[in-house]
């Protein structure tokens, strides 16, 4: 074929086609950019008039799938409850959004296309810089982040943070593990040595040590939030070392629970209820309980309350007492003695009588991390900066 | 039975067990890629094929376990994974052989297409539990539960180990193997012999993708035995690199896969016995190993021995 252009289009046709496409694109982009504006103004006006609003669109963004038996499932259950319990709340969701500029695009389209006025980008790594950038760009939209990164004064006014002291539940799970373990060796599969993870490891160990002071917890860091092969390897090598209760802090505990069950050892769950995955070995688990907190935030949105006006506090924190977290039902392997001790500790934590981090606590490198005669209560800011593993934990946070 | 601690023996045992458990996906994908590259085309899309295979195997095993029972359902899953791989392979084989189309570029497109499709179709299978493949209990002689668990070997792994020498023999001693090598080394000569390069390459790519799909089934139905979107963590791409330093020889693919499978277990095994420094380094062991081997084996003086002549050329 000597003189035919590729695909049979002449240059003129190609240029004409490109021009037409560009023109079409420009027109639709511009008109899309213009239309929401006139709608938005009357809305804003009515909000000011009545205080309450008729419909609020709330956006939820998850880092993984919504039914992963883990972190994202816990949030998605809370979101569904918010939509079900509060009339007028409409939720839009996007799952498996990586912690990259992809999340900025998701937030932008939720705001511009779906008209969301409150966003819950739930993953830790979304905060800086993506939430902060979008919050500056859209000062009328509220951003709620799950994690301890928000700082009063330095971050925009329309950003809030909420998180639970789930280490209270880990402490109780540690008590159950301490009673159940025969070898006195517990295992913890952890993703990365960040403060939230270290708090869980330490609280779990302290709970177990309250039963038997000689108990140890072996930590294995996998280095990533979702590494199914390494999590399974870690669980297997712990079982090889005679560890008989494992737990974990990774995005989806499914692999760890299933592997523990296959190896015939016990496990305690995290994030959500994993009892169906390990019917024999599942003892209990520290679960998030976003239902109550999301429902109450949804009600406040409908009343027209905002972070910017100061009606909603910027920092929401709570533990078992405030229903930020809960414990899974006890599994068949839990003894009555363990149940009684765990229930007693739970009561004390809810009443605020039990301090997990008591004075004189030492790290596993021998430093005193909680000064003698002082106890750190859950809301102590020092605990959010945790960078040590306590005595009794076998592991090292320096990679 | 009381579990006894293994102590230091846990490290070699853990690495051995990790080799038996974790090398099957590497093995199948690298054998598939070896077959494909011998015919002169590269299929980078096997990462997508691996994910698609893992998803379809898990999905089919879950959906059929009530109808055919928990023994046969995973085998249907393995077949489904193979067929899913073949479908993707057909697309790649046809696209990559069009005039002025680059097979590497198509491969990258196929990674995105395969993984995207697997994530999309796999949404409903993340939560449920599917029946798993049975395992051979070669450790029954031992009273130690750690040894028993380490020697649970998947039939898929054994099949992979058997396929490697068979493929070696196939390339060396059969007419069909000669066709594939001819097409891969010198398409002009093959054409003169009256062999259709299009058909031979198409069949090699489709068969290679079938193996890669089964590699996916190893991930979701044997170890770690779940379907999640992060299940492959780049194993498909690593297996493609592995073919290069296995010098396009199926038997060496076997050794290389065993090495990589074992390397995955190094990080967790060391941490469990208390060597807890440098765990990021140990966790990166497979990747470091790739680099080291590439550096050792490359030489500016000669081209890679065993590389099919037409590989990466537009012929």
């Amino acid at each position: 074929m000597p003189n035919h252009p590729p695909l049979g289009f002449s240059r003129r046709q190609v240029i004409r086609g490109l021009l037409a496409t560009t023109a079409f694109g420009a027109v639709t982009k511009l008109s899309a950019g213009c239309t929401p504006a006139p709608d938005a103004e009357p809305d804003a006006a009515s909000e000011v008039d009545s205080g309450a609003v008729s419909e609020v669109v709330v956006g939820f963004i998850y880092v993984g799938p919504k039914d992963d038996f883990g972190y994202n499932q816990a949030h998605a259950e809370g979101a569904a409850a918010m939509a079900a319990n509060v009339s007028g709340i409409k939720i839009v969701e996007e799952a498996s959004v990586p912690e990259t500029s992809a999340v900025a695009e998701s937030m932008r389209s939720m705001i511009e296309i779906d008209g969301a006025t409150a966003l819950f980008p739930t993953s830790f790594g979304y905060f800086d810089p993506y939430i902060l950038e979008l919050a500056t760009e859209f000062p009328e939209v509220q951003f709620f982040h799950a994690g301890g990164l928000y700082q009063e004064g330095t971050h925009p006014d329309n950003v809030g943070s909420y998180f639970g002291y789930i280490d209270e539940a880990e402490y109780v799970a540690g008590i159950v593990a301490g009673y159940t373990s025969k070898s006195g060796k517990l295992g913890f599969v952890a993703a990365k040595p960040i403060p939230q993870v270290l708090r869980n490891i330490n609280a779990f160990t302290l709970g177990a040590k309250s039963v038997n002071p000689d108990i140890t917890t072996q930590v294995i860091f996998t280095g990533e939030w979702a590494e199914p092969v390494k999590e399974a390897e870690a669980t297997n090598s712990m079982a090889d070392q005679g560890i008989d209760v494992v737990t974990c802090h990774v995005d989806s505990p499914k692999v760890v629970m299933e592997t523990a069950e296959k190896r015939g050892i016990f496990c305690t769950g995290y994030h959500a209820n994993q009892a169906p995955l390990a019917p024999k070995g599942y003892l209990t688990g520290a679960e998030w309980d976003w239902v109550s907190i999301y429902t109450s935030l949804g009600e406040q949105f409908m009343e027209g309350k905002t972070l910017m006006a100061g009606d909603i506090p910027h920092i929401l924190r709570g533990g078992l007492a405030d229903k930020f977290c809960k414990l899974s039902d006890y599994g068949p392997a839990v003894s009555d003695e363990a149940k009684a001790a765990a229930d007693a500790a739970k009561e004390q934590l809810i009443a605020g009588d039990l301090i997990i981090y008591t004075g004189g606590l030492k790290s596993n490198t021998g430093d005193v991390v909680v000064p003698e005669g002082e106890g750190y209560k859950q809301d102590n800011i020092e605990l959010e900066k945790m960078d040590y593993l306590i005595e009794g934990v076998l592991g090292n946070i320096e990679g | 039975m009381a579990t006894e601690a293994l102590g230091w023996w846990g490290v070699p045992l853990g690495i051995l067990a990790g080799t038996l458990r974790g090398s099957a996906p590497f093995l199948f994908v690298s054998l598939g890629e070896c077959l494909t590259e011998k015919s002169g085309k590269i299929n980078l899309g096997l990462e997508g094929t691996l994910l698609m295979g893992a998803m379809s195997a898990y999905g089919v095993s879950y959906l059929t376990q009530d109808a055919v029972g928990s023994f046969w359902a995973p085998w249907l899953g393995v077949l489904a994974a193979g067929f899913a791989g073949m479908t993707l392979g057909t697309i790649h084989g046809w696209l990559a052989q069009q005039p002025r189309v680059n097979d590497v570029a198509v491969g990258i497109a196929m990674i995105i297409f395969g993984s995207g499709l697997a994530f999309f179709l796999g949404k409903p299978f993340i939560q449920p539990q599917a029946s798993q493949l049975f395992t051979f209990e070669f450790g029954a002689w031992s009273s130690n539960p750690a040894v028993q668990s380490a020697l649970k070997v998947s039939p898929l792994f054994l099949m992979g180990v058997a396929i490697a020498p068979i493929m070696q023999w196939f390339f060396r001693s059969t007419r069909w193997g000669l066709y594939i090598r001819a097409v891969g080394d010198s398409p002009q000569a093959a054409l003169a012999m009256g062999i259709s390069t299009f058909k031979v390459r198409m069949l090699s790519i489709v068969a290679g993708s079938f193996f890669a799909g089964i590699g996916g089934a190893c991930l979701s139905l044997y170890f770690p035995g779940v379907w999640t979107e992060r299940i492959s963590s780049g194993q498909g791409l690593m297996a493609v690199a592995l073919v290069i330093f296995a010098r396009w020889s199926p038997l060496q693919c076997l050794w290389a896969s065993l090495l990589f499978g074992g390397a995955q277990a190094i990080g967790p095994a060391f941490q469990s016995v208390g060597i807890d420094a440098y765990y990021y380094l140990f966790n990166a062991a497979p990747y470091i190993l790739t680099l080291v081997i590439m550096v050792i084996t490359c030489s500016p003086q000669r081209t890679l021995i065993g590389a099919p002549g037409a590989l990466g050329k537009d012929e």
Side-chain angles (χ1 to χ4, degrees):
Chain A
M1 28 176 212
N3 275 324
H4 286 294
L7 299 172
F9 292 113
S10 72
R11 183 182 299 158
R12 188 173 295 171
Q13 279 172 312
V14 170
I15 292 176
R16 209 184 280 156
L18 282 175
L19 278 176
T21 320
T22 317
F24 177 75
V27 168
T28 44
K29 178 78 189 165
L30 284 178
S31 62
C34 289
T35 30
D39 291 350
E41 272 165 36
D43 261 13
S46 66
E47 262 176 58
V48 174
D49 287 345
S50 60
V53 281
S54 60
E55 191 192 70
V56 175
V57 181
V58 184
F60 284 87
I61 303 175
Y62 315 110
V63 73
K66 281 193 292 178
D67 48 2
D68 59 353
F69 271 107
Y71 187 75
N72 302 299
Q73 180 175 333
H75 280 289
E77 281 170 3
M82 183 205 260
N85 295 347
V86 187
S87 65
I89 292 279
K90 187 179 161 241
I91 60 168
V92 288
E93 296 176 290
E94 192 173 339
S96 301
V97 181
E99 293 174 338
T100 63
S101 54
V103 70
E105 290 314 306
S106 295
M107 289 193 275
R108 190 186 300 280
S109 58
M110 280 182 173
I111 296 168
E112 287 185 340
I113 297 170
D114 302 313
T117 51
L119 287 181
F120 290 82
T122 52
S123 186
F124 189 79
Y126 290 159
F127 189 73
D128 192 10
Y130 311 109
I131 291 180
L132 295 179
E133 275 171 14
L134 270 280
T136 327
E137 193 177 332
F138 299 98
E140 75 288 351
V141 178
Q142 306 179 68
F143 294 81
F144 291 87
H145 181 246
L149 295 173
Y150 172 82
Q151 284 172 333
E152 197 95 52
T154 51
H155 290 149
D157 223 15
N158 52 332
V159 177
S161 109
Y162 61 98
F163 215 60
Y165 302 127
I166 200 168
D167 47 344
E168 291 188 346
E170 285 285 356
Y171 182 84
V172 180
I175 295 176
V176 178
Y179 272 104
T180 314
S181 172
K182 289 188 185 70
S183 63
K185 289 162 142 189
L186 314 179
F188 203 115
V189 182
K192 299 181 182 187
I194 63 166
Q196 272 100 343
V197 177
L198 298 179
R199 270 183 90 153
N200 285 336
I201 299 171
N202 290 340
F204 181 76
T205 311
L206 283 169
K209 281 174 77 174
S210 74
V211 181
N212 169 6
D214 297 329
I215 230 161
T216 57
T217 304
Q218 173 71 53
V219 180
I220 292 184
F221 290 106
T222 60
E224 266 308 324
W225 292 110
E227 283 272 4
V229 175
K230 287 224 177 67
E231 288 155 18
E233 278 302 344
T235 315
N236 273 317
S237 44
M238 284 180 177
D240 290 346
Q241 293 301 325
I243 286 167
D244 58 359
V245 184
V246 292
T247 187
C248 61
H249 186 161
V250 294
D251 258 357
S252 171
K254 195 178 179 199
V255 176
V256 175
M257 302 300 142
E258 285 185 339
T259 312
E261 184 80 353
K262 271 184 214 161
R263 292 299 300 263
I265 59 176
F266 301 108
C267 53
T268 75
Y270 190 59
H271 289 316
N273 188 355
Q274 286 108 22
L277 298 176
K280 276 188 257 152
Y282 193 77
L283 301 175
T284 180
E287 296 178 38
W288 294 106
D289 187 4
W290 298 120
V291 172
S292 49
I293 175 77
Y294 281 175
T295 305
S296 98
L297 278 174
E299 280 160 0
Q300 296 180 53
F301 295 155
M302 294 310 294
E303 290 159 16
K305 293 185 176 173
T306 59
L307 285 168
M308 294 76 92
D311 304 330
I312 302 178
H314 282 88
I315 296 183
L316 291 168
R317 293 283 187 277
L320 288 167
D322 307 288
K323 293 200 176 149
F324 276 71
C325 51
K326 61 183 178 193
L327 282 142
S328 321
D329 294 336
Y330 299 118
V334 181
S335 65
D336 292 334
E337 196 189 8
K339 281 181 196 167
D343 284 337
K346 196 155 80 179
E347 291 305 315
Q348 281 184 304
L349 282 167
I350 290 173
D353 299 336
L354 185 81
I355 294 174
I356 297 179
Y357 301 93
T358 50
L361 190 66
K362 278 187 182 163
S363 76
N364 65 357
T365 50
D367 306 323
V368 176
V369 286
V370 182
E372 199 75 52
E374 257 181 76
Y376 286 161
K377 288 211 164 182
Q378 285 301 1
D379 51 1
N380 195 313
I381 200 78
E382 284 299 316
L383 291 178
E384 299 204 358
K385 300 185 215 151
M386 188 172 283
D387 57 354
Y388 49 82
L389 292 164
I390 61 147
E391 209 174 10
V393 181
L394 308 175
N396 184 353
I397 55 174
E398 314 284 338
Chain B
M1 189 188 319
T3 44
E4 4 175 332
L6 278 173
W8 274 94
W9 282 105
V11 175
L13 187 76
I15 294 173
L16 171 74
T19 309
L20 294 177
R21 283 190 290 251
S23 52
F26 287 118
L27 185 55
F28 275 97
V29 178
S30 61
L31 287 177
E33 183 69 19
C34 187
L35 181 59
T36 305
E37 289 190 14
K38 275 278 186 189
S39 77
K41 285 283 172 194
I42 293 177
N43 187 359
L44 281 183
L46 291 188
E47 170 79 10
T49 313
L50 186 74
L51 281 164
M52 194 62 200
M55 189 284 297
S56 33
Y58 200 75
V60 167
S61 171
Y62 170 66
L63 292 175
T64 58
Q65 60 191 357
D66 293 332
V68 298
S70 63
F71 181 82
W72 289 109
W75 287 106
L76 285 179
V78 171
L79 268 186
F83 283 118
M86 283 167 79
T87 314
L88 288 177
T90 314
I91 300 174
H92 180 83
W94 184 78
L95 270 180
Q97 295 197 68
Q98 297 309 302
R100 287 186 295 275
V101 171
N102 180 292
D103 48 353
V104 174
V106 174
I108 293 172
M110 292 304 290
I111 296 181
I112 301 169
F113 175 68
S115 50
L117 194 65
F119 294 170
F120 176 72
L121 297 174
K123 288 267 181 277
F125 304 123
I126 293 171
Q127 197 166 35
Q129 281 181 292
S131 311
Q132 300 283 306
L133 282 172
F134 76 95
T135 48
F136 291 114
E137 313 270 337
F138 290 140
W141 50 269
S142 167
S143 60
N144 188 321
V147 175
Q148 284 175 0
S149 150
L151 294 179
K152 276 187 184 165
V153 177
S154 165
L156 284 179
F157 173 72
L158 295 179
M159 268 190 227
V161 171
I163 288 172
I166 292 175
M167 196 184 272
Q168 183 95 354
W169 169 81
F170 169 81
F171 283 137
R172 186 180 302 167
S173 312
T174 66
R175 180 177 292 267
W176 280 83
L178 176 70
Y179 286 172
I180 293 175
R181 281 191 293 142
V183 168
D185 267 329
S186 173
Q188 306 297 340
L191 213 55
M193 278 164 71
I195 305 169
S196 158
T197 50
F198 181 86
K199 278 187 195 155
V200 169
R201 285 180 173 169
M202 187 72 169
L203 284 177
S204 304
I205 293 173
V206 170
S209 302
F210 178 82
F211 285 132
I214 291 188
C218 301
L219 281 177
S220 65
L221 292 180
Y222 170 53
F223 183 78
V226 292
W227 158 245
T228 76
E229 297 180 356
R230 296 290 303 276
I231 186 91
S232 89
S233 42
Q235 293 188 24
L237 280 175
M238 272 154 66
V240 172
L242 202 142
V243 175
I244 299 171
F245 78 72
R247 296 276 179 269
W248 292 271
S249 149
L251 262 185
Q252 291 183 35
C253 280
L254 171 63
W255 308 129
S257 307
L258 294 179
L259 194 68
F260 269 69
Q264 288 190 108
I266 290 179
F270 273 162
Q271 282 192 62
S272 75
V273 293
I275 303 177
D276 46 23
Y278 308 113
Y279 52 82
Y280 283 114
L281 197 66
F282 289 130
N283 281 344
Y287 312 99
I288 295 170
L289 209 63
T290 316
L291 272 179
V292 168
I293 293 179
M294 292 303 240
V295 168
I296 292 173
T297 54
C298 84
S299 158
Q301 311 301 325
R302 53 183 164 78
T303 51
L304 292 171
I305 305 161
L311 196 63
K313 290 193 188 128
D314 199 9
E315 288 178 49

